[in-house]
Amino acid sequence: MTDDLKVTVQRKGDAAVLYTRGYINNLGGEEIASRAYELMDDGIRVLILNLQETKIVNSIGISILIEVIEKMTEKEGRIAFCCLTPVIQKTFQIMGLAQYAKIFPDEASASQELGLPAAS
Amino acid sequence: MSLPFEPAEWRKIGTDRRRTGTWMQLTATLFDELQAIEKIAPRAASASRRRAETIRDVLARHLSFKRIAVYLDDAQRGELVLAAATNKSGMPEALERLCVVREPESVLEQCDPPAAHVVPLASSKEVLGALILGGGGQEVLDESGRSSLRALGAYLSALLAASRLASEVRDGDFQMRLQMWELESLYDIGLSIASMLDMGQLGDEILVRTMSLVNARRAALYLRQGQRFGLHQALGGARAQFLDDELSADSVRAILEAGEPVAFEKGADCIFPGCETLVAMPIRSSSGEVIGVLAAADREFRDGSVGPFEEGELRLLNRFANQVSIALQNARLHRDALDKQAIERDLELAGSIQSNILPRGLPDTDGYEIAVLHNPARQLGGDYHTFFERDGIISACVADVSGKSVPAAILVSALHAALQLLFHERRPLGEIAEELNRHIHRWSSESKFITFILATIDRRAGEIRYVNAGHNPAFIVLGGKVETLHSHGLPIGILGASRYEAQTRPFPAGSLLALYSDGITEANNVEEEEFGPARLTDILTTNETRSCAEIRDTIRDAVHEFAGEAPQYDDQTVVLVRTSA
């Protein structure tokens, strides 16, 4: 579980979904940020972070996610989270992430809300 | 009017270029563009560099200076650092903060070639940065030009101060939320893990929460095993035994004796191979005993480094360890209860098996009246009785196995199987007892034995043959007189070479045989007096004319009444056999 976080990306037109697997700490957060910034530089303005395979997040990981949200906001894009464990969802709410990025129970509802093509 | 500014657009304006209104308009454009630095996300690692680059680019577009260098404050280094420049060559990499305000000339001389102007960027409390400008024919400025530079500096200072303030507000908000999250987490963890009864699931949750709370990269839970701690679960790979070497013996002692956390800045490898920093937090039970250790390793920092755990994190971990202790004790109690339930189910099953060993009904043989009392003290008893009927002759057996519960029940089963085989081989009573003795002696443990009486009553012959191997004396009652059938051999299983010879006594019609276990005669009352054989024989003689069933009930009631509130410690068995003509 504490192996480096793995991130996979699925692009859907002008949007993308990032799938994380593992611990969102400093290393994991940086990996997510790096992939997210690449996508933003590539013109992606709608990003869904699917955290289904992530069970732990620490405060440093959270601060990096906030940076990612701020950067996307700066570019007038949108970010949403989906498939959070109850613990992580509560953490995001307390830490204020939920103020700037919507949280959805599943990827389908996130995609629908953000206007992504239906999951293949 | 001499201006330090030579905006690119200025040249295109032509004849209007020296009109004050045009200059003001262009300056306002410059100021508007500088406001872009407010939009840069304050938390981003690159925010400082991006602000400097924005300033450089805006100034380069609007001013005629060829050399523009932007220095911004680096709190960690405690100086102003060159963050962006049109050309970094010849520019000092860093400047002393106060130097730009107090000794601007020395700052300019540090540049190669020397620059023309230094513009401090400062609030009333602190220096935020500086601009160094030069080239472009603007080396000497008149008062108006110097005023313009001061205005530019003041404006940029205000923007940077606002950005810093926004950043501090956000950091403060983040810290406040973080503390709230820690408190909420502790509360949630308490609720969550206290209701977790599976040790594996509980261990996983504890480790996840630990890593999350103190920003650790690895965590392990050790549970105490005597004077050592055995690894229960780990995330990130940990050694199987905690501090299992001589070097760390002092640390283990400190945890066990003082219950204090042990923080390692060196030697953390003793728990997590390859880790750099470690804290081992004792988990103490409600009685103060250290029941485990919660270890966390490699505390992360935002810059990607790992370092020692700080005071606040140790305090947080300590509080968490208290909740872990409660959860572990709950889970253990639950596991014990489950184990107990499993044992009870096993005992119930074994009790059911044993009850099937005992006769379900009584022999219905002409000329014999039989009654039985079997009252076990527990689910599994050590008393045994059975009957055999062959050729109109009844044999009755009562035995009492030493010990209680499962071991006794196993021996009862062995006795039952062997006795059934031997009796149906039509062997004489003495031989049956000797074979049983050899069998039990060989296969049971040394401390186990069986008192045993087996009697064959031939009503037609009017005699009784019996073997009494260390059992309570049986009684024959007839006409108010009692004959006692004493033991004439060692209990079964004590000595492999024991010999048993069947005894014969007259048993005329109407005689009543009473076999019983010591649970009857040794039943205690609250004064710890025994019921005794005298009370039993008294009942037998007094009630001799009544049916066997009535006599049995009388014995049962008398023992029960005698014992009163005293608990029943031993199985109680009575077998009554009476013959008729």
Side-chain angles (χ1 to χ4, degrees), chain A residues 2 23 25-26 30 57-60 67 70 74 87 90-91 94 99, chain B residues 41 43 50 170 177 181 184 188 211-212 215-216 236 300 302 304:
Chain A
T2 57
Y23 186 13
N25 56 355
N26 186 70
E30 290 289 7
V57 55
N58 69 13
S59 65
I60 297 173
E67 290 171 18
E70 285 175 344
E74 196 181 309
V87 172
K90 186 165 186 181
T91 301
I94 293 172
Q99 291 177 0
Chain B
R43 205 187 305 277
R50 290 174 59 204
R170 280 171 180 255
R177 287 176 180 277
W181 174 64
E184 281 280 338
D188 277 355
M211 289 166 64
S212 182
N215 292 324
E300 286 193 326
R302 176 64 186 91

PDB file of all heavy atoms in Angstrom, chain A residues 2 23 25-26 30 57-60 67 70 74 87 90-91 94 99, chain B residues 41 43 50 170 177 181 184 188 211-212 215-216 236 300 302 304:
ATOM      1  N   THR A   2       2.046   1.172   0.593  1.00  0.00           N
ATOM      2  CA  THR A   2       2.865   2.370   0.645  1.00  0.00           C
ATOM      3  C   THR A   2       3.844   2.450  -0.513  1.00  0.00           C
ATOM      4  O   THR A   2       4.722   3.277  -0.534  1.00  0.00           O
ATOM      5  CB  THR A   2       3.635   2.431   1.957  1.00  0.00           C
ATOM      6  OG1 THR A   2       4.397   1.239   2.056  1.00  0.00           O
ATOM      7  CG2 THR A   2       2.719   2.588   3.117  1.00  0.00           C
ATOM      8  N   TYR A  23      -1.100   5.659  -1.910  1.00  0.00           N
ATOM      9  CA  TYR A  23      -1.056   6.669  -0.850  1.00  0.00           C
ATOM     10  C   TYR A  23      -0.847   8.056  -1.461  1.00  0.00           C
ATOM     11  O   TYR A  23       0.140   8.283  -2.141  1.00  0.00           O
ATOM     12  CB  TYR A  23       0.110   6.281   0.053  1.00  0.00           C
ATOM     13  CG  TYR A  23       0.315   7.076   1.323  1.00  0.00           C
ATOM     14  CD1 TYR A  23      -0.635   7.959   1.832  1.00  0.00           C
ATOM     15  CD2 TYR A  23       1.489   6.898   2.051  1.00  0.00           C
ATOM     16  CE1 TYR A  23      -0.420   8.644   3.005  1.00  0.00           C
ATOM     17  CE2 TYR A  23       1.724   7.585   3.229  1.00  0.00           C
ATOM     18  CZ  TYR A  23       0.761   8.460   3.697  1.00  0.00           C
ATOM     19  OH  TYR A  23       0.989   9.133   4.863  1.00  0.00           O
ATOM     20  N   ASN A  25       0.475  10.997  -0.589  1.00  0.00           N
ATOM     21  CA  ASN A  25       1.328  11.747   0.326  1.00  0.00           C
ATOM     22  C   ASN A  25       2.130  12.725  -0.516  1.00  0.00           C
ATOM     23  O   ASN A  25       1.663  13.144  -1.582  1.00  0.00           O
ATOM     24  CB  ASN A  25       2.229  10.792   1.117  1.00  0.00           C
ATOM     25  CG  ASN A  25       3.066   9.899   0.213  1.00  0.00           C
ATOM     26  OD1 ASN A  25       2.922   9.914  -1.010  1.00  0.00           O
ATOM     27  ND2 ASN A  25       3.944   9.132   0.797  1.00  0.00           N
ATOM     28  N   ASN A  26       3.326  13.088  -0.075  1.00  0.00           N
ATOM     29  CA  ASN A  26       4.103  14.034  -0.863  1.00  0.00           C
ATOM     30  C   ASN A  26       4.450  13.445  -2.235  1.00  0.00           C
ATOM     31  O   ASN A  26       4.253  14.091  -3.270  1.00  0.00           O
ATOM     32  CB  ASN A  26       5.373  14.396  -0.106  1.00  0.00           C
ATOM     33  CG  ASN A  26       6.141  15.489  -0.816  1.00  0.00           C
ATOM     34  OD1 ASN A  26       5.693  16.625  -0.845  1.00  0.00           O
ATOM     35  ND2 ASN A  26       7.237  15.139  -1.434  1.00  0.00           N
ATOM     36  N   GLU A  30       2.716  14.689  -5.677  1.00  0.00           N
ATOM     37  CA  GLU A  30       3.540  15.259  -6.754  1.00  0.00           C
ATOM     38  C   GLU A  30       3.303  14.531  -8.077  1.00  0.00           C
ATOM     39  O   GLU A  30       3.298  15.139  -9.138  1.00  0.00           O
ATOM     40  CB  GLU A  30       5.030  15.177  -6.383  1.00  0.00           C
ATOM     41  CG  GLU A  30       5.438  16.115  -5.267  1.00  0.00           C
ATOM     42  CD  GLU A  30       5.433  17.580  -5.685  1.00  0.00           C
ATOM     43  OE1 GLU A  30       4.980  17.876  -6.796  1.00  0.00           O
ATOM     44  OE2 GLU A  30       5.855  18.427  -4.883  1.00  0.00           O
ATOM     45  N   VAL A  57      -4.693   9.364   2.567  1.00  0.00           N
ATOM     46  CA  VAL A  57      -4.193  10.660   2.100  1.00  0.00           C
ATOM     47  C   VAL A  57      -3.693  11.386   3.342  1.00  0.00           C
ATOM     48  O   VAL A  57      -4.273  11.255   4.420  1.00  0.00           O
ATOM     49  CB  VAL A  57      -5.312  11.448   1.384  1.00  0.00           C
ATOM     50  CG1 VAL A  57      -6.539  11.613   2.235  1.00  0.00           C
ATOM     51  CG2 VAL A  57      -4.822  12.785   0.906  1.00  0.00           C
ATOM     52  N   ASN A  58      -2.572  12.089   3.218  1.00  0.00           N
ATOM     53  CA  ASN A  58      -2.125  12.869   4.374  1.00  0.00           C
ATOM     54  C   ASN A  58      -2.187  14.356   4.051  1.00  0.00           C
ATOM     55  O   ASN A  58      -2.579  14.755   2.947  1.00  0.00           O
ATOM     56  CB  ASN A  58      -0.743  12.414   4.865  1.00  0.00           C
ATOM     57  CG  ASN A  58       0.381  12.748   3.904  1.00  0.00           C
ATOM     58  OD1 ASN A  58       0.205  13.524   2.972  1.00  0.00           O
ATOM     59  ND2 ASN A  58       1.530  12.160   4.133  1.00  0.00           N
ATOM     60  N   SER A  59      -1.822  15.176   5.023  1.00  0.00           N
ATOM     61  CA  SER A  59      -2.050  16.615   4.859  1.00  0.00           C
ATOM     62  C   SER A  59      -1.187  17.194   3.746  1.00  0.00           C
ATOM     63  O   SER A  59      -1.585  18.154   3.084  1.00  0.00           O
ATOM     64  CB  SER A  59      -1.792  17.348   6.167  1.00  0.00           C
ATOM     65  OG  SER A  59      -0.443  17.242   6.526  1.00  0.00           O
ATOM     66  N   ILE A  60      -0.013  16.598   3.529  1.00  0.00           N
ATOM     67  CA  ILE A  60       0.837  17.118   2.449  1.00  0.00           C
ATOM     68  C   ILE A  60       0.209  16.778   1.095  1.00  0.00           C
ATOM     69  O   ILE A  60       0.176  17.614   0.183  1.00  0.00           O
ATOM     70  CB  ILE A  60       2.260  16.531   2.561  1.00  0.00           C
ATOM     71  CG1 ILE A  60       2.878  17.005   3.881  1.00  0.00           C
ATOM     72  CG2 ILE A  60       3.109  16.958   1.382  1.00  0.00           C
ATOM     73  CD1 ILE A  60       4.199  16.392   4.211  1.00  0.00           C
ATOM     74  N   GLU A  67      -3.214  22.748  -4.552  1.00  0.00           N
ATOM     75  CA  GLU A  67      -2.439  23.470  -5.567  1.00  0.00           C
ATOM     76  C   GLU A  67      -2.937  23.137  -6.973  1.00  0.00           C
ATOM     77  O   GLU A  67      -3.039  24.013  -7.843  1.00  0.00           O
ATOM     78  CB  GLU A  67      -0.962  23.109  -5.454  1.00  0.00           C
ATOM     79  CG  GLU A  67      -0.290  23.667  -4.212  1.00  0.00           C
ATOM     80  CD  GLU A  67       1.109  23.126  -4.019  1.00  0.00           C
ATOM     81  OE1 GLU A  67       1.682  22.598  -5.000  1.00  0.00           O
ATOM     82  OE2 GLU A  67       1.606  23.218  -2.898  1.00  0.00           O
ATOM     83  N   GLU A  70      -6.118  24.941  -7.513  1.00  0.00           N
ATOM     84  CA  GLU A  70      -5.887  26.373  -7.736  1.00  0.00           C
ATOM     85  C   GLU A  70      -5.365  26.642  -9.145  1.00  0.00           C
ATOM     86  O   GLU A  70      -5.744  27.599  -9.807  1.00  0.00           O
ATOM     87  CB  GLU A  70      -4.902  26.903  -6.689  1.00  0.00           C
ATOM     88  CG  GLU A  70      -5.554  27.074  -5.322  1.00  0.00           C
ATOM     89  CD  GLU A  70      -4.556  27.483  -4.253  1.00  0.00           C
ATOM     90  OE1 GLU A  70      -3.329  27.337  -4.494  1.00  0.00           O
ATOM     91  OE2 GLU A  70      -4.992  27.931  -3.184  1.00  0.00           O
ATOM     92  N   GLU A  74      -7.071  28.822 -11.951  1.00  0.00           N
ATOM     93  CA  GLU A  74      -6.349  29.910 -12.615  1.00  0.00           C
ATOM     94  C   GLU A  74      -6.549  29.829 -14.123  1.00  0.00           C
ATOM     95  O   GLU A  74      -6.635  30.839 -14.816  1.00  0.00           O
ATOM     96  CB  GLU A  74      -4.885  29.755 -12.245  1.00  0.00           C
ATOM     97  CG  GLU A  74      -4.004  30.942 -12.498  1.00  0.00           C
ATOM     98  CD  GLU A  74      -2.572  30.607 -12.089  1.00  0.00           C
ATOM     99  OE1 GLU A  74      -2.364  30.123 -10.957  1.00  0.00           O
ATOM    100  OE2 GLU A  74      -1.671  30.789 -12.916  1.00  0.00           O
ATOM    101  N   VAL A  87     -13.868   8.144   4.623  1.00  0.00           N
ATOM    102  CA  VAL A  87     -12.862   8.877   5.413  1.00  0.00           C
ATOM    103  C   VAL A  87     -12.232   9.986   4.578  1.00  0.00           C
ATOM    104  O   VAL A  87     -12.088  11.134   5.037  1.00  0.00           O
ATOM    105  CB  VAL A  87     -11.770   7.902   5.925  1.00  0.00           C
ATOM    106  CG1 VAL A  87     -10.623   8.678   6.564  1.00  0.00           C
ATOM    107  CG2 VAL A  87     -12.352   6.917   6.920  1.00  0.00           C
ATOM    108  N   LYS A  90     -14.692  12.868   3.930  1.00  0.00           N
ATOM    109  CA  LYS A  90     -14.831  13.757   5.085  1.00  0.00           C
ATOM    110  C   LYS A  90     -13.590  14.641   5.219  1.00  0.00           C
ATOM    111  O   LYS A  90     -13.692  15.832   5.524  1.00  0.00           O
ATOM    112  CB  LYS A  90     -15.032  12.929   6.353  1.00  0.00           C
ATOM    113  CG  LYS A  90     -15.328  13.783   7.564  1.00  0.00           C
ATOM    114  CD  LYS A  90     -15.863  12.978   8.712  1.00  0.00           C
ATOM    115  CE  LYS A  90     -16.281  13.880   9.859  1.00  0.00           C
ATOM    116  NZ  LYS A  90     -16.782  13.130  10.991  1.00  0.00           N
ATOM    117  N   THR A  91     -12.435  14.041   4.966  1.00  0.00           N
ATOM    118  CA  THR A  91     -11.186  14.809   5.025  1.00  0.00           C
ATOM    119  C   THR A  91     -11.222  15.965   4.041  1.00  0.00           C
ATOM    120  O   THR A  91     -10.873  17.099   4.373  1.00  0.00           O
ATOM    121  CB  THR A  91      -9.996  13.885   4.695  1.00  0.00           C
ATOM    122  OG1 THR A  91      -9.977  12.822   5.632  1.00  0.00           O
ATOM    123  CG2 THR A  91      -8.687  14.628   4.746  1.00  0.00           C
ATOM    124  N   ILE A  94     -13.530  18.732   5.285  1.00  0.00           N
ATOM    125  CA  ILE A  94     -12.968  19.537   6.373  1.00  0.00           C
ATOM    126  C   ILE A  94     -11.834  20.430   5.859  1.00  0.00           C
ATOM    127  O   ILE A  94     -11.717  21.588   6.248  1.00  0.00           O
ATOM    128  CB  ILE A  94     -12.445  18.618   7.504  1.00  0.00           C
ATOM    129  CG1 ILE A  94     -13.624  17.899   8.172  1.00  0.00           C
ATOM    130  CG2 ILE A  94     -11.663  19.419   8.532  1.00  0.00           C
ATOM    131  CD1 ILE A  94     -13.211  16.840   9.172  1.00  0.00           C
ATOM    132  N   GLN A  99     -14.933  22.887  -1.350  1.00  0.00           N
ATOM    133  CA  GLN A  99     -15.428  24.219  -1.716  1.00  0.00           C
ATOM    134  C   GLN A  99     -15.080  24.546  -3.167  1.00  0.00           C
ATOM    135  O   GLN A  99     -15.756  25.336  -3.819  1.00  0.00           O
ATOM    136  CB  GLN A  99     -14.780  25.273  -0.817  1.00  0.00           C
ATOM    137  CG  GLN A  99     -15.243  25.201   0.619  1.00  0.00           C
ATOM    138  CD  GLN A  99     -14.523  26.228   1.479  1.00  0.00           C
ATOM    139  OE1 GLN A  99     -13.682  26.981   1.002  1.00  0.00           O
ATOM    140  NE2 GLN A  99     -14.865  26.238   2.751  1.00  0.00           N
TER     141      GLN A  99
ATOM    142  N   ALA B  41      -1.606  31.380  -8.262  1.00  0.00           N
ATOM    143  CA  ALA B  41      -1.992  30.578  -7.095  1.00  0.00           C
ATOM    144  C   ALA B  41      -0.908  30.689  -6.025  1.00  0.00           C
ATOM    145  O   ALA B  41       0.249  30.359  -6.284  1.00  0.00           O
ATOM    146  CB  ALA B  41      -2.179  29.124  -7.505  1.00  0.00           C
ATOM    147  N   ARG B  43      -0.227  29.043  -3.313  1.00  0.00           N
ATOM    148  CA  ARG B  43       0.337  27.870  -2.673  1.00  0.00           C
ATOM    149  C   ARG B  43       1.311  27.118  -3.584  1.00  0.00           C
ATOM    150  O   ARG B  43       2.083  26.306  -3.127  1.00  0.00           O
ATOM    151  CB  ARG B  43      -0.780  26.937  -2.234  1.00  0.00           C
ATOM    152  CG  ARG B  43      -0.407  26.029  -1.078  1.00  0.00           C
ATOM    153  CD  ARG B  43      -1.512  25.042  -0.831  1.00  0.00           C
ATOM    154  NE  ARG B  43      -2.773  25.738  -0.614  1.00  0.00           N
ATOM    155  CZ  ARG B  43      -3.146  26.241   0.556  1.00  0.00           C
ATOM    156  NH1 ARG B  43      -2.368  26.106   1.595  1.00  0.00           N
ATOM    157  NH2 ARG B  43      -4.295  26.857   0.691  1.00  0.00           N
ATOM    158  N   ARG B  50       7.071  32.657 -10.651  1.00  0.00           N
ATOM    159  CA  ARG B  50       6.125  33.139 -11.655  1.00  0.00           C
ATOM    160  C   ARG B  50       5.763  34.608 -11.433  1.00  0.00           C
ATOM    161  O   ARG B  50       5.557  35.360 -12.375  1.00  0.00           O
ATOM    162  CB  ARG B  50       4.871  32.259 -11.654  1.00  0.00           C
ATOM    163  CG  ARG B  50       5.167  30.867 -12.217  1.00  0.00           C
ATOM    164  CD  ARG B  50       3.972  29.960 -12.087  1.00  0.00           C
ATOM    165  NE  ARG B  50       2.810  30.469 -12.780  1.00  0.00           N
ATOM    166  CZ  ARG B  50       1.559  30.153 -12.469  1.00  0.00           C
ATOM    167  NH1 ARG B  50       1.332  29.326 -11.465  1.00  0.00           N
ATOM    168  NH2 ARG B  50       0.558  30.645 -13.151  1.00  0.00           N
ATOM    169  N   ARG B 170      -4.367  32.030   3.608  1.00  0.00           N
ATOM    170  CA  ARG B 170      -4.658  30.674   3.140  1.00  0.00           C
ATOM    171  C   ARG B 170      -3.927  29.649   3.990  1.00  0.00           C
ATOM    172  O   ARG B 170      -4.479  28.623   4.351  1.00  0.00           O
ATOM    173  CB  ARG B 170      -4.239  30.511   1.685  1.00  0.00           C
ATOM    174  CG  ARG B 170      -5.250  31.075   0.726  1.00  0.00           C
ATOM    175  CD  ARG B 170      -4.701  31.096  -0.677  1.00  0.00           C
ATOM    176  NE  ARG B 170      -5.687  31.638  -1.595  1.00  0.00           N
ATOM    177  CZ  ARG B 170      -6.382  30.884  -2.449  1.00  0.00           C
ATOM    178  NH1 ARG B 170      -6.175  29.597  -2.497  1.00  0.00           N
ATOM    179  NH2 ARG B 170      -7.273  31.414  -3.249  1.00  0.00           N
ATOM    180  N   ARG B 177      -7.847  24.338   9.473  1.00  0.00           N
ATOM    181  CA  ARG B 177      -8.614  23.186   8.990  1.00  0.00           C
ATOM    182  C   ARG B 177      -7.886  21.883   9.324  1.00  0.00           C
ATOM    183  O   ARG B 177      -8.510  20.870   9.653  1.00  0.00           O
ATOM    184  CB  ARG B 177      -8.821  23.282   7.475  1.00  0.00           C
ATOM    185  CG  ARG B 177      -9.816  24.327   7.071  1.00  0.00           C
ATOM    186  CD  ARG B 177      -9.911  24.448   5.566  1.00  0.00           C
ATOM    187  NE  ARG B 177     -10.860  25.454   5.162  1.00  0.00           N
ATOM    188  CZ  ARG B 177     -12.173  25.249   5.062  1.00  0.00           C
ATOM    189  NH1 ARG B 177     -12.670  24.065   5.340  1.00  0.00           N
ATOM    190  NH2 ARG B 177     -12.972  26.210   4.677  1.00  0.00           N
ATOM    191  N   TRP B 181      -9.280  18.873  11.302  1.00  0.00           N
ATOM    192  CA  TRP B 181      -9.277  17.526  10.716  1.00  0.00           C
ATOM    193  C   TRP B 181      -8.630  16.517  11.683  1.00  0.00           C
ATOM    194  O   TRP B 181      -9.114  15.397  11.850  1.00  0.00           O
ATOM    195  CB  TRP B 181      -8.523  17.547   9.386  1.00  0.00           C
ATOM    196  CG  TRP B 181      -8.331  16.204   8.769  1.00  0.00           C
ATOM    197  CD1 TRP B 181      -9.308  15.364   8.327  1.00  0.00           C
ATOM    198  CD2 TRP B 181      -7.094  15.534   8.537  1.00  0.00           C
ATOM    199  NE1 TRP B 181      -8.753  14.209   7.820  1.00  0.00           N
ATOM    200  CE2 TRP B 181      -7.401  14.293   7.948  1.00  0.00           C
ATOM    201  CE3 TRP B 181      -5.755  15.855   8.767  1.00  0.00           C
ATOM    202  CZ2 TRP B 181      -6.410  13.380   7.592  1.00  0.00           C
ATOM    203  CZ3 TRP B 181      -4.782  14.956   8.400  1.00  0.00           C
ATOM    204  CH2 TRP B 181      -5.108  13.733   7.823  1.00  0.00           C
ATOM    205  N   GLU B 184     -11.164  15.895  14.398  1.00  0.00           N
ATOM    206  CA  GLU B 184     -12.255  15.080  13.846  1.00  0.00           C
ATOM    207  C   GLU B 184     -11.775  13.653  13.602  1.00  0.00           C
ATOM    208  O   GLU B 184     -12.495  12.697  13.836  1.00  0.00           O
ATOM    209  CB  GLU B 184     -12.743  15.683  12.522  1.00  0.00           C
ATOM    210  CG  GLU B 184     -13.662  16.862  12.674  1.00  0.00           C
ATOM    211  CD  GLU B 184     -15.094  16.459  12.985  1.00  0.00           C
ATOM    212  OE1 GLU B 184     -15.458  15.313  12.688  1.00  0.00           O
ATOM    213  OE2 GLU B 184     -15.830  17.281  13.528  1.00  0.00           O
ATOM    214  N   ASP B 188     -13.348  10.391  14.974  1.00  0.00           N
ATOM    215  CA  ASP B 188     -13.829   9.366  14.037  1.00  0.00           C
ATOM    216  C   ASP B 188     -13.134   8.029  14.269  1.00  0.00           C
ATOM    217  O   ASP B 188     -13.753   6.981  14.240  1.00  0.00           O
ATOM    218  CB  ASP B 188     -13.551   9.786  12.592  1.00  0.00           C
ATOM    219  CG  ASP B 188     -14.620  10.720  12.088  1.00  0.00           C
ATOM    220  OD1 ASP B 188     -15.583  10.939  12.838  1.00  0.00           O
ATOM    221  OD2 ASP B 188     -14.479  11.226  10.969  1.00  0.00           O
ATOM    222  N   MET B 211      -0.546   6.697   9.597  1.00  0.00           N
ATOM    223  CA  MET B 211       0.229   7.323   8.531  1.00  0.00           C
ATOM    224  C   MET B 211      -0.396   8.647   8.110  1.00  0.00           C
ATOM    225  O   MET B 211       0.292   9.634   7.868  1.00  0.00           O
ATOM    226  CB  MET B 211       0.321   6.365   7.334  1.00  0.00           C
ATOM    227  CG  MET B 211       1.209   5.173   7.619  1.00  0.00           C
ATOM    228  SD  MET B 211       1.024   3.855   6.399  1.00  0.00           S
ATOM    229  CE  MET B 211       1.596   4.627   4.930  1.00  0.00           C
ATOM    230  N   SER B 212      -1.707   8.641   8.032  1.00  0.00           N
ATOM    231  CA  SER B 212      -2.420   9.819   7.598  1.00  0.00           C
ATOM    232  C   SER B 212      -2.262  10.963   8.615  1.00  0.00           C
ATOM    233  O   SER B 212      -2.021  12.106   8.248  1.00  0.00           O
ATOM    234  CB  SER B 212      -3.886   9.453   7.411  1.00  0.00           C
ATOM    235  OG  SER B 212      -4.620  10.521   6.953  1.00  0.00           O
ATOM    236  N   ASN B 215       1.642  12.136   8.850  1.00  0.00           N
ATOM    237  CA  ASN B 215       2.382  12.266   7.587  1.00  0.00           C
ATOM    238  C   ASN B 215       3.543  11.290   7.477  1.00  0.00           C
ATOM    239  O   ASN B 215       4.626  11.636   6.983  1.00  0.00           O
ATOM    240  CB  ASN B 215       2.894  13.700   7.410  1.00  0.00           C
ATOM    241  CG  ASN B 215       1.766  14.677   7.187  1.00  0.00           C
ATOM    242  OD1 ASN B 215       0.776  14.332   6.538  1.00  0.00           O
ATOM    243  ND2 ASN B 215       1.872  15.863   7.725  1.00  0.00           N
ATOM    244  N   ALA B 216       3.325  10.070   7.978  1.00  0.00           N
ATOM    245  CA  ALA B 216       4.395   9.072   7.922  1.00  0.00           C
ATOM    246  C   ALA B 216       4.323   8.306   6.603  1.00  0.00           C
ATOM    247  O   ALA B 216       3.253   8.176   6.006  1.00  0.00           O
ATOM    248  CB  ALA B 216       4.258   8.105   9.085  1.00  0.00           C
ATOM    249  N   GLY B 236       4.426  -0.923   4.580  1.00  0.00           N
ATOM    250  CA  GLY B 236       5.728  -0.405   4.204  1.00  0.00           C
ATOM    251  C   GLY B 236       6.873  -1.319   4.571  1.00  0.00           C
ATOM    252  O   GLY B 236       8.026  -0.960   4.363  1.00  0.00           O
ATOM    253  N   GLU B 300       7.093  12.992   6.526  1.00  0.00           N
ATOM    254  CA  GLU B 300       7.286  13.725   5.260  1.00  0.00           C
ATOM    255  C   GLU B 300       7.212  15.228   5.443  1.00  0.00           C
ATOM    256  O   GLU B 300       6.501  15.716   6.315  1.00  0.00           O
ATOM    257  CB  GLU B 300       6.153  13.368   4.294  1.00  0.00           C
ATOM    258  CG  GLU B 300       6.229  12.010   3.690  1.00  0.00           C
ATOM    259  CD  GLU B 300       5.250  11.906   2.532  1.00  0.00           C
ATOM    260  OE1 GLU B 300       4.177  12.516   2.603  1.00  0.00           O
ATOM    261  OE2 GLU B 300       5.569  11.208   1.560  1.00  0.00           O
ATOM    262  N   ARG B 302       6.902  18.976   2.901  1.00  0.00           N
ATOM    263  CA  ARG B 302       6.367  19.384   1.605  1.00  0.00           C
ATOM    264  C   ARG B 302       7.424  19.395   0.509  1.00  0.00           C
ATOM    265  O   ARG B 302       7.138  19.197  -0.656  1.00  0.00           O
ATOM    266  CB  ARG B 302       5.706  20.769   1.740  1.00  0.00           C
ATOM    267  CG  ARG B 302       5.184  21.347   0.451  1.00  0.00           C
ATOM    268  CD  ARG B 302       4.069  20.476  -0.105  1.00  0.00           C
ATOM    269  NE  ARG B 302       3.651  20.935  -1.414  1.00  0.00           N
ATOM    270  CZ  ARG B 302       4.178  20.505  -2.564  1.00  0.00           C
ATOM    271  NH1 ARG B 302       5.165  19.618  -2.533  1.00  0.00           N
ATOM    272  NH2 ARG B 302       3.721  20.926  -3.721  1.00  0.00           N
ATOM    273  N   GLY B 304       9.530  17.257  -0.035  1.00  0.00           N
ATOM    274  CA  GLY B 304       9.879  15.899  -0.460  1.00  0.00           C
ATOM    275  C   GLY B 304      10.868  15.215   0.459  1.00  0.00           C
ATOM    276  O   GLY B 304      11.131  14.024   0.315  1.00  0.00           O
TER     277      GLY B 304
END
